[in-house]
PDB file of all heavy atoms in Angstrom:
ATOM      1  N   GLU A  27      59.312   2.372  18.522  1.00 95.00           N
ATOM      2  CA  GLU A  27      60.512   3.059  17.992  1.00 95.00           C
ATOM      3  C   GLU A  27      60.354   4.574  18.376  1.00 95.00           C
ATOM      4  O   GLU A  27      59.337   5.187  18.212  1.00 95.00           O
ATOM      5  CB  GLU A  27      60.593   2.964  16.472  1.00 95.00           C
ATOM      6  CG  GLU A  27      61.773   3.597  15.858  1.00 95.00           C
ATOM      7  CD  GLU A  27      61.905   3.427  14.386  1.00 95.00           C
ATOM      8  OE1 GLU A  27      60.923   2.817  13.768  1.00 95.00           O
ATOM      9  OE2 GLU A  27      62.863   3.872  13.778  1.00 95.00           O
ATOM     10  N   LYS A  28      61.542   5.072  18.883  1.00 95.00           N
ATOM     11  CA  LYS A  28      61.585   6.486  19.203  1.00 95.00           C
ATOM     12  C   LYS A  28      62.691   7.115  18.418  1.00 95.00           C
ATOM     13  O   LYS A  28      63.859   6.590  18.442  1.00 95.00           O
ATOM     14  CB  LYS A  28      61.843   6.697  20.707  1.00 95.00           C
ATOM     15  CG  LYS A  28      60.707   6.151  21.567  1.00 95.00           C
ATOM     16  CD  LYS A  28      61.005   6.391  23.037  1.00 95.00           C
ATOM     17  CE  LYS A  28      59.869   5.785  23.917  1.00 95.00           C
ATOM     18  NZ  LYS A  28      60.089   6.030  25.357  1.00 95.00           N
ATOM     19  N   VAL A  29      62.428   8.236  17.753  1.00 94.00           N
ATOM     20  CA  VAL A  29      63.468   9.019  17.062  1.00 94.00           C
ATOM     21  C   VAL A  29      63.763  10.253  17.882  1.00 94.00           C
ATOM     22  O   VAL A  29      62.811  11.002  18.180  1.00 94.00           O
ATOM     23  CB  VAL A  29      63.037   9.331  15.650  1.00 94.00           C
ATOM     24  CG1 VAL A  29      64.120  10.165  14.946  1.00 94.00           C
ATOM     25  CG2 VAL A  29      62.688   8.102  14.841  1.00 94.00           C
ATOM     26  N   LEU A  30      64.974  10.439  18.313  1.00 94.00           N
ATOM     27  CA  LEU A  30      65.335  11.580  19.124  1.00 94.00           C
ATOM     28  C   LEU A  30      65.753  12.741  18.277  1.00 94.00           C
ATOM     29  O   LEU A  30      66.147  12.559  17.112  1.00 94.00           O
ATOM     30  CB  LEU A  30      66.455  11.211  20.086  1.00 94.00           C
ATOM     31  CG  LEU A  30      66.180   9.947  20.961  1.00 94.00           C
ATOM     32  CD1 LEU A  30      67.406   9.699  21.885  1.00 94.00           C
ATOM     33  CD2 LEU A  30      64.922  10.079  21.763  1.00 94.00           C
ATOM     34  N   LYS A  31      65.646  13.954  18.805  1.00 92.00           N
ATOM     35  CA  LYS A  31      66.022  15.151  18.065  1.00 92.00           C
ATOM     36  C   LYS A  31      67.504  15.141  17.667  1.00 92.00           C
ATOM     37  O   LYS A  31      67.851  15.791  16.659  1.00 92.00           O
ATOM     38  CB  LYS A  31      65.667  16.386  18.884  1.00 92.00           C
ATOM     39  CG  LYS A  31      64.190  16.643  18.928  1.00 92.00           C
ATOM     40  CD  LYS A  31      63.850  18.052  19.350  1.00 92.00           C
ATOM     41  CE  LYS A  31      62.349  18.236  19.223  1.00 92.00           C
ATOM     42  NZ  LYS A  31      61.891  19.438  19.815  1.00 92.00           N
ATOM     43  N   ASN A  32      68.351  14.444  18.409  1.00 92.00           N
ATOM     44  CA  ASN A  32      69.785  14.418  18.094  1.00 92.00           C
ATOM     45  C   ASN A  32      70.047  13.415  16.951  1.00 92.00           C
ATOM     46  O   ASN A  32      71.223  13.249  16.564  1.00 92.00           O
ATOM     47  CB  ASN A  32      70.619  14.127  19.271  1.00 92.00           C
ATOM     48  CG  ASN A  32      70.436  12.720  19.827  1.00 92.00           C
ATOM     49  OD1 ASN A  32      69.766  11.904  19.235  1.00 92.00           O
ATOM     50  ND2 ASN A  32      71.077  12.432  20.960  1.00 92.00           N
ATOM     51  N   GLY A  33      69.036  12.725  16.445  1.00 91.00           N
ATOM     52  CA  GLY A  33      69.229  11.824  15.322  1.00 91.00           C
ATOM     53  C   GLY A  33      69.295  10.322  15.735  1.00 91.00           C
ATOM     54  O   GLY A  33      69.317   9.480  14.877  1.00 91.00           O
ATOM     55  N   CYS A  34      69.387  10.031  17.023  1.00 94.00           N
ATOM     56  CA  CYS A  34      69.440   8.693  17.452  1.00 94.00           C
ATOM     57  C   CYS A  34      68.085   8.023  17.281  1.00 94.00           C
ATOM     58  O   CYS A  34      67.046   8.668  17.441  1.00 94.00           O
ATOM     59  CB  CYS A  34      69.848   8.585  18.938  1.00 94.00           C
ATOM     60  SG  CYS A  34      71.533   9.025  19.249  1.00 94.00           S
ATOM     61  N   HIS A  35      68.125   6.712  17.022  1.00 94.00           N
ATOM     62  CA  HIS A  35      66.880   5.895  16.973  1.00 94.00           C
ATOM     63  C   HIS A  35      66.952   4.864  18.114  1.00 94.00           C
ATOM     64  O   HIS A  35      67.980   4.225  18.279  1.00 94.00           O
ATOM     65  CB  HIS A  35      66.835   5.099  15.640  1.00 94.00           C
ATOM     66  CG  HIS A  35      66.564   5.950  14.466  1.00 94.00           C
ATOM     67  ND1 HIS A  35      65.388   5.901  13.775  1.00 94.00           N
ATOM     68  CD2 HIS A  35      67.293   6.915  13.812  1.00 94.00           C
ATOM     69  CE1 HIS A  35      65.369   6.769  12.784  1.00 94.00           C
ATOM     70  NE2 HIS A  35      66.575   7.360  12.761  1.00 94.00           N
ATOM     71  N   LEU A  36      65.859   4.735  18.848  1.00 96.00           N
ATOM     72  CA  LEU A  36      65.769   3.746  19.902  1.00 96.00           C
ATOM     73  C   LEU A  36      64.569   2.858  19.505  1.00 96.00           C
ATOM     74  O   LEU A  36      63.508   3.296  19.217  1.00 96.00           O
ATOM     75  CB  LEU A  36      65.498   4.430  21.227  1.00 96.00           C
ATOM     76  CG  LEU A  36      66.511   5.403  21.754  1.00 96.00           C
ATOM     77  CD1 LEU A  36      66.021   6.084  22.997  1.00 96.00           C
ATOM     78  CD2 LEU A  36      67.848   4.787  21.967  1.00 96.00           C
ATOM     79  N   VAL A  37      64.862   1.514  19.640  1.00 96.00           N
ATOM     80  CA  VAL A  37      63.802   0.550  19.346  1.00 96.00           C
ATOM     81  C   VAL A  37      63.689  -0.347  20.541  1.00 96.00           C
ATOM     82  O   VAL A  37      64.684  -0.970  20.953  1.00 96.00           O
ATOM     83  CB  VAL A  37      64.081  -0.286  18.056  1.00 96.00           C
ATOM     84  CG1 VAL A  37      62.989  -1.268  17.789  1.00 96.00           C
ATOM     85  CG2 VAL A  37      64.351   0.634  16.882  1.00 96.00           C
ATOM     86  N   PHE A  38      62.500  -0.430  21.152  1.00 97.00           N
ATOM     87  CA  PHE A  38      62.239  -1.265  22.265  1.00 97.00           C
ATOM     88  C   PHE A  38      61.372  -2.464  21.883  1.00 97.00           C
ATOM     89  O   PHE A  38      60.319  -2.264  21.266  1.00 97.00           O
ATOM     90  CB  PHE A  38      61.530  -0.448  23.345  1.00 97.00           C
ATOM     91  CG  PHE A  38      62.338   0.725  23.866  1.00 97.00           C
ATOM     92  CD1 PHE A  38      62.249   1.986  23.243  1.00 97.00           C
ATOM     93  CD2 PHE A  38      63.215   0.548  24.917  1.00 97.00           C
ATOM     94  CE1 PHE A  38      63.032   3.037  23.651  1.00 97.00           C
ATOM     95  CE2 PHE A  38      63.991   1.649  25.358  1.00 97.00           C
ATOM     96  CZ  PHE A  38      63.916   2.873  24.709  1.00 97.00           C
ATOM     97  N   PHE A  39      61.787  -3.648  22.213  1.00 96.00           N
ATOM     98  CA  PHE A  39      61.099  -4.884  21.834  1.00 96.00           C
ATOM     99  C   PHE A  39      60.343  -5.394  23.088  1.00 96.00           C
ATOM    100  O   PHE A  39      60.731  -5.137  24.239  1.00 96.00           O
ATOM    101  CB  PHE A  39      62.067  -5.904  21.347  1.00 96.00           C
ATOM    102  CG  PHE A  39      62.837  -5.496  20.092  1.00 96.00           C
ATOM    103  CD1 PHE A  39      63.994  -4.815  20.189  1.00 96.00           C
ATOM    104  CD2 PHE A  39      62.311  -5.729  18.845  1.00 96.00           C
ATOM    105  CE1 PHE A  39      64.679  -4.393  19.080  1.00 96.00           C
ATOM    106  CE2 PHE A  39      62.947  -5.335  17.716  1.00 96.00           C
ATOM    107  CZ  PHE A  39      64.188  -4.643  17.813  1.00 96.00           C
ATOM    108  N   PRO A  40      59.247  -6.139  22.814  1.00 96.00           N
ATOM    109  CA  PRO A  40      58.398  -6.583  23.955  1.00 96.00           C
ATOM    110  C   PRO A  40      59.153  -7.466  24.957  1.00 96.00           C
ATOM    111  O   PRO A  40      58.794  -7.510  26.131  1.00 96.00           O
ATOM    112  CB  PRO A  40      57.302  -7.380  23.274  1.00 96.00           C
ATOM    113  CG  PRO A  40      57.300  -6.933  21.856  1.00 96.00           C
ATOM    114  CD  PRO A  40      58.697  -6.477  21.558  1.00 96.00           C
ATOM    115  N   ASN A  41      60.205  -8.168  24.503  1.00 95.00           N
ATOM    116  CA  ASN A  41      60.903  -9.095  25.442  1.00 95.00           C
ATOM    117  C   ASN A  41      61.914  -8.406  26.329  1.00 95.00           C
ATOM    118  O   ASN A  41      62.556  -9.018  27.136  1.00 95.00           O
ATOM    119  CB  ASN A  41      61.580 -10.200  24.647  1.00 95.00           C
ATOM    120  CG  ASN A  41      62.768  -9.708  23.814  1.00 95.00           C
ATOM    121  OD1 ASN A  41      63.037  -8.514  23.730  1.00 95.00           O
ATOM    122  ND2 ASN A  41      63.393 -10.658  23.203  1.00 95.00           N
ATOM    123  N   GLY A  42      62.013  -7.058  26.228  1.00 95.00           N
ATOM    124  CA  GLY A  42      62.956  -6.312  27.065  1.00 95.00           C
ATOM    125  C   GLY A  42      64.236  -5.926  26.376  1.00 95.00           C
ATOM    126  O   GLY A  42      64.988  -5.095  26.862  1.00 95.00           O
ATOM    127  N   THR A  43      64.459  -6.448  25.186  1.00 97.00           N
ATOM    128  CA  THR A  43      65.650  -6.078  24.375  1.00 97.00           C
ATOM    129  C   THR A  43      65.358  -4.699  23.797  1.00 97.00           C
ATOM    130  O   THR A  43      64.289  -4.382  23.410  1.00 97.00           O
ATOM    131  CB  THR A  43      65.877  -7.138  23.260  1.00 97.00           C
ATOM    132  OG1 THR A  43      66.190  -8.366  23.848  1.00 97.00           O
ATOM    133  CG2 THR A  43      67.007  -6.701  22.332  1.00 97.00           C
ATOM    134  N   TRP A  44      66.463  -3.915  23.690  1.00 97.00           N
ATOM    135  CA  TRP A  44      66.336  -2.627  23.022  1.00 97.00           C
ATOM    136  C   TRP A  44      67.605  -2.310  22.233  1.00 97.00           C
ATOM    137  O   TRP A  44      68.691  -2.796  22.510  1.00 97.00           O
ATOM    138  CB  TRP A  44      65.992  -1.498  23.987  1.00 97.00           C
ATOM    139  CG  TRP A  44      67.002  -1.188  25.070  1.00 97.00           C
ATOM    140  CD1 TRP A  44      67.159  -1.890  26.231  1.00 97.00           C
ATOM    141  CD2 TRP A  44      67.902  -0.142  25.115  1.00 97.00           C
ATOM    142  NE1 TRP A  44      68.151  -1.317  26.990  1.00 97.00           N
ATOM    143  CE2 TRP A  44      68.607  -0.241  26.305  1.00 97.00           C
ATOM    144  CE3 TRP A  44      68.187   0.908  24.226  1.00 97.00           C
ATOM    145  CZ2 TRP A  44      69.612   0.656  26.661  1.00 97.00           C
ATOM    146  CZ3 TRP A  44      69.171   1.799  24.624  1.00 97.00           C
ATOM    147  CH2 TRP A  44      69.863   1.706  25.808  1.00 97.00           C
ATOM    148  N   LYS A  45      67.372  -1.503  21.180  1.00 97.00           N
ATOM    149  CA  LYS A  45      68.476  -1.193  20.237  1.00 97.00           C
ATOM    150  C   LYS A  45      68.560   0.317  20.079  1.00 97.00           C
ATOM    151  O   LYS A  45      67.569   1.029  20.010  1.00 97.00           O
ATOM    152  CB  LYS A  45      68.088  -1.828  18.895  1.00 97.00           C
ATOM    153  CG  LYS A  45      69.000  -1.508  17.770  1.00 97.00           C
ATOM    154  CD  LYS A  45      68.449  -2.294  16.497  1.00 97.00           C
ATOM    155  CE  LYS A  45      69.245  -1.979  15.252  1.00 97.00           C
ATOM    156  NZ  LYS A  45      68.734  -2.741  14.127  1.00 97.00           N
ATOM    157  N   LYS A  46      69.820   0.765  20.090  1.00 97.00           N
ATOM    158  CA  LYS A  46      70.089   2.205  19.892  1.00 97.00           C
ATOM    159  C   LYS A  46      70.955   2.364  18.654  1.00 97.00           C
ATOM    160  O   LYS A  46      72.022   1.731  18.542  1.00 97.00           O
ATOM    161  CB  LYS A  46      70.761   2.798  21.078  1.00 97.00           C
ATOM    162  CG  LYS A  46      71.134   4.276  20.905  1.00 97.00           C
ATOM    163  CD  LYS A  46      71.931   4.814  22.129  1.00 97.00           C
ATOM    164  CE  LYS A  46      72.320   6.259  21.904  1.00 97.00           C
ATOM    165  NZ  LYS A  46      73.089   6.797  23.014  1.00 97.00           N
ATOM    166  N   VAL A  47      70.454   3.098  17.648  1.00 96.00           N
ATOM    167  CA  VAL A  47      71.269   3.432  16.484  1.00 96.00           C
ATOM    168  C   VAL A  47      71.700   4.886  16.648  1.00 96.00           C
ATOM    169  O   VAL A  47      70.877   5.781  16.767  1.00 96.00           O
ATOM    170  CB  VAL A  47      70.480   3.229  15.183  1.00 96.00           C
ATOM    171  CG1 VAL A  47      71.310   3.613  13.988  1.00 96.00           C
ATOM    172  CG2 VAL A  47      69.942   1.813  15.088  1.00 96.00           C
ATOM    173  N   GLY A  48      73.021   5.083  16.690  1.00 94.00           N
ATOM    174  CA  GLY A  48      73.568   6.439  16.878  1.00 94.00           C
ATOM    175  C   GLY A  48      73.187   7.401  15.768  1.00 94.00           C
ATOM    176  O   GLY A  48      72.778   6.961  14.690  1.00 94.00           O
ATOM    177  N   SER A  49      73.366   8.668  16.021  1.00 91.00           N
ATOM    178  CA  SER A  49      73.012   9.685  14.996  1.00 91.00           C
ATOM    179  C   SER A  49      73.817   9.529  13.734  1.00 91.00           C
ATOM    180  O   SER A  49      73.413   9.980  12.675  1.00 91.00           O
ATOM    181  CB  SER A  49      73.132  11.102  15.609  1.00 91.00           C
ATOM    182  OG  SER A  49      74.459  11.231  16.065  1.00 91.00           O
ATOM    183  N   ASP A  50      75.000   8.839  13.816  1.00 92.00           N
ATOM    184  CA  ASP A  50      75.791   8.643  12.614  1.00 92.00           C
ATOM    185  C   ASP A  50      75.259   7.495  11.771  1.00 92.00           C
ATOM    186  O   ASP A  50      75.683   7.297  10.652  1.00 92.00           O
ATOM    187  CB  ASP A  50      77.258   8.360  13.000  1.00 92.00           C
ATOM    188  CG  ASP A  50      77.457   7.111  13.855  1.00 92.00           C
ATOM    189  OD1 ASP A  50      76.484   6.412  14.108  1.00 92.00           O
ATOM    190  OD2 ASP A  50      78.604   6.844  14.251  1.00 92.00           O
ATOM    191  N   GLY A  51      74.274   6.749  12.344  1.00 90.00           N
ATOM    192  CA  GLY A  51      73.684   5.624  11.619  1.00 90.00           C
ATOM    193  C   GLY A  51      74.595   4.395  11.554  1.00 90.00           C
ATOM    194  O   GLY A  51      74.214   3.367  11.080  1.00 90.00           O
ATOM    195  N   LYS A  52      75.829   4.501  12.129  1.00 93.00           N
ATOM    196  CA  LYS A  52      76.810   3.387  12.034  1.00 93.00           C
ATOM    197  C   LYS A  52      77.091   2.774  13.360  1.00 93.00           C
ATOM    198  O   LYS A  52      77.624   1.688  13.432  1.00 93.00           O
ATOM    199  CB  LYS A  52      78.099   3.934  11.396  1.00 93.00           C
ATOM    200  CG  LYS A  52      77.919   4.394   9.958  1.00 93.00           C
ATOM    201  CD  LYS A  52      79.243   4.909   9.452  1.00 93.00           C
ATOM    202  CE  LYS A  52      79.073   5.435   8.015  1.00 93.00           C
ATOM    203  NZ  LYS A  52      80.354   6.022   7.523  1.00 93.00           N
ATOM    204  N   THR A  53      76.839   3.493  14.434  1.00 96.00           N
ATOM    205  CA  THR A  53      77.116   2.969  15.797  1.00 96.00           C
ATOM    206  C   THR A  53      75.820   2.398  16.333  1.00 96.00           C
ATOM    207  O   THR A  53      74.831   3.114  16.486  1.00 96.00           O
ATOM    208  CB  THR A  53      77.632   4.081  16.725  1.00 96.00           C
ATOM    209  OG1 THR A  53      78.756   4.736  16.142  1.00 96.00           O
ATOM    210  CG2 THR A  53      78.003   3.553  18.086  1.00 96.00           C
ATOM    211  N   ILE A  54      75.826   1.061  16.557  1.00 97.00           N
ATOM    212  CA  ILE A  54      74.634   0.384  16.974  1.00 97.00           C
ATOM    213  C   ILE A  54      74.908  -0.345  18.291  1.00 97.00           C
ATOM    214  O   ILE A  54      75.921  -1.023  18.465  1.00 97.00           O
ATOM    215  CB  ILE A  54      74.131  -0.624  15.910  1.00 97.00           C
ATOM    216  CG1 ILE A  54      73.852   0.105  14.594  1.00 97.00           C
ATOM    217  CG2 ILE A  54      72.935  -1.407  16.414  1.00 97.00           C
ATOM    218  CD1 ILE A  54      73.678  -0.797  13.427  1.00 97.00           C
ATOM    219  N   THR A  55      74.031  -0.190  19.259  1.00 97.00           N
ATOM    220  CA  THR A  55      74.122  -0.881  20.543  1.00 97.00           C
ATOM    221  C   THR A  55      72.817  -1.607  20.757  1.00 97.00           C
ATOM    222  O   THR A  55      71.729  -1.031  20.703  1.00 97.00           O
ATOM    223  CB  THR A  55      74.387   0.102  21.693  1.00 97.00           C
ATOM    224  OG1 THR A  55      75.569   0.818  21.413  1.00 97.00           O
ATOM    225  CG2 THR A  55      74.567  -0.711  23.032  1.00 97.00           C
TER     226      THR A  55
END
């Protein structure tokens, strides 16, 4: 898990899937 200075959270999974939670906490990709 990486937390960026702009407030975004990035989570990288071992299988290659990754998740980005926007700084608003509501936009998820």
